[in-house]
Amino acid sequence: MSLFRYSGLSTKVRAMSGKLLTQEDYQQLGSLSSVSEVIAFLKKKPSYAQLLEKEDERSLHRGRAEGLIMQSLFMDFSRLYRFSSLDQRRFLDGFFMRYEISCLNMIIRSIMTQGERLVDTEEYREVFERHSQIPLAQASSADTMESLIAALSGTPYKKVISDVYGSNSRELFDYELALDVFFFDRFWKLIKKDLKEEDQEVIARSVGTYIDALNLTWVYRAKKYYRMSAAEVYALIVPIHYRLTREQVRQMAEAADENELLAVVKNTKYGKYLDGEEQLNLERCMEKMQEAVHSVLLRRKPYSAACLDVYLYRKEREARKIITAMECVRYGLPSDKIREYLA
């Protein structure tokens, strides 16, 4: 049954995957010295040629450049959506919340810092009109939290942001955490309720692994950079545990420092991803772990929702890496450091 439902979509995904950037491409990106060189390089790549062909890389504004890169991700999402059945679209509808929240985080960050809107959301307008309840033009023009909340009337995000705004703790991180918890709670319920059994297994593993990785990363940062207490750490954790037990989460939250935390992590199911690292970077290890999990899912279940999930994960990672490369060259980082970020 899965083979019948996903054979055409799986073939489509394989064809689109052939256009993703390769490790050699990232090496070349790391050797470039300006944003205009990055854009000129991308113009030669199938995924970006049509989007960028009319743009003058010498005068392209930073925000528009990043918006166009993200538009490539949204265009691929739309291609897959059009090719999908009603069941598969239910999954994609839930998945799109990731993009909504990413956009809201960007808007909130701009409001709270009173800074320049870093990405041109006009590039998102068409896909948001098709797949989102958020009135993007109104939301992106908001210059206060009150006006953003008003713009989100009729969407589930109004309550999430209003609750934080009315609380005693309303830093940028509080908004980001509340939106993340909201997404994972809604998406986890969708997995259990709306997906067919063969899709539930693969998506639960993908999302569950992502939640565990996010919790591990947040706890690590809390211990290493901020020396947070156990009570403060508990407030950061997404309350969904996949392969981390409650006892392991307790031990991590109560660890005295990052070294004690890492000792706990090494005894979890994710400990193997820390092996062989000369200079341990937990965040890099978590990225490596997620790529390994996605590769296994696609290899074992190619005719399932894994083909959608894995492709969108890899395409989003590609977009983020390109934006990282542009930021690095903009600030004049040396090539070896840029390549390290893109590895």
Side-chain angles (χ1 to χ4, degrees), residues 7-282:
S7 59
L9 192 57
S10 182
T11 301
K12 177 76 170 176
V13 167
R14 282 197 299 273
M16 293 170 65
S17 297
K19 297 179 181 180
L20 293 173
L21 298 186
T22 65
Q23 199 55 46
E24 181 181 347
D25 290 328
Y26 289 122
Q27 288 291 313
Q28 292 185 53
L29 274 176
S31 68
L32 303 178
S33 58
S34 68
V35 173
S36 61
E37 287 184 9
V38 172
I39 300 300
F41 174 80
L42 293 173
K43 281 185 173 182
K44 302 173 185 177
K45 298 299 172 183
S47 291
Y48 302 96
Q50 185 177 354
L51 268 175
L52 299 172
E53 63 180 351
K54 296 180 180 179
E55 303 293 336
D56 183 350
E57 59 268 25
R58 295 167 297 181
S59 59
L60 187 61
H61 184 269
R62 170 194 174 193
R64 178 164 171 77
E66 294 186 10
L68 287 167
I69 299 306
M70 291 304 294
Q71 188 178 347
S72 175
L73 167 64
F74 295 144
M75 286 172 63
D76 281 2
F77 176 92
S78 294
R79 288 188 185 101
L80 293 174
Y81 195 90
R82 288 194 299 269
F83 211 78
S84 296
S85 67
L86 291 176
D87 285 342
Q88 293 153 355
R89 287 181 177 186
R90 274 197 289 271
F91 163 70
L92 290 172
D93 287 336
F95 194 97
F96 195 82
M97 286 192 294
R98 286 169 60 106
Y99 305 146
E100 292 180 318
I101 286 170
S102 178
C103 190
L104 287 173
N105 281 334
M106 180 190 66
I107 293 169
I108 293 169
R109 192 175 301 115
S110 178
I111 290 172
M112 297 194 70
T113 61
Q114 292 298 301
E116 176 188 5
R117 190 63 44 83
L118 297 182
V119 176
D120 186 355
T121 54
E122 177 61 22
E123 306 302 332
Y124 304 173
R125 179 179 56 79
E126 185 176 346
V127 72
F128 267 70
E129 286 178 353
R130 292 178 180 173
H131 299 288
S132 175
Q133 295 179 318
I134 296 176
L136 192 59
Q138 289 176 261
S140 60
S141 64
D143 55 2
T144 64
M145 291 309 300
E146 293 93 335
S147 58
L148 176 60
I149 290 168
L152 295 175
S153 181
T155 77
Y157 300 111
K158 178 179 180 179
K159 183 178 188 310
V160 178
I161 295 176
S162 294
D163 286 349
V164 177
Y165 185 67
S167 71
N168 293 325
S169 183
R170 47 184 182 180
E171 299 298 324
L172 175 61
F173 181 79
D174 298 305
Y175 288 103
E176 293 177 338
L177 178 62
L179 286 167
D180 279 338
V181 170
F182 170 78
F183 166 70
F184 289 126
D185 180 64
R186 289 281 290 263
F187 198 49
W188 197 253
K189 289 175 181 175
L190 179 147
I191 292 169
K192 299 299 183 183
K193 178 183 176 183
D194 292 343
L195 297 190
K196 294 184 181 298
E197 185 175 351
E198 59 265 30
D199 289 335
Q200 278 189 21
E201 178 186 352
V202 294
I203 301 304
R205 184 171 182 191
S206 172
V207 177
T209 300
Y210 182 82
I211 294 171
D212 283 348
L214 194 64
N215 279 336
L216 286 168
T217 301
W218 281 349
V219 175
Y220 178 73
R221 289 176 183 171
K223 294 296 179 181
K224 182 173 182 178
Y225 301 113
Y226 304 107
R227 307 298 177 188
M228 288 186 177
S229 67
E232 291 172 318
V233 171
Y234 279 126
L236 304 178
I237 296 173
V238 177
I240 296 173
H241 309 308
Y242 182 60
R243 289 191 165 180
L244 294 174
T245 67
R246 293 186 181 278
E247 175 60 20
Q248 288 168 339
V249 171
R250 183 193 67 77
Q251 290 176 9
M252 290 189 293
E254 296 178 4
D257 53 34
E258 72 269 23
N259 293 321
E260 188 174 319
L261 166 67
L262 291 172
V264 176
V265 176
K266 287 180 179 180
N267 289 321
T268 71
K269 291 184 180 293
Y270 301 116
K272 62 182 179 181
Y273 296 103
L274 276 61
D275 295 339
E277 295 287 329
E278 293 182 8
Q279 292 185 319
L280 188 57
N281 182 322
L282 183 66

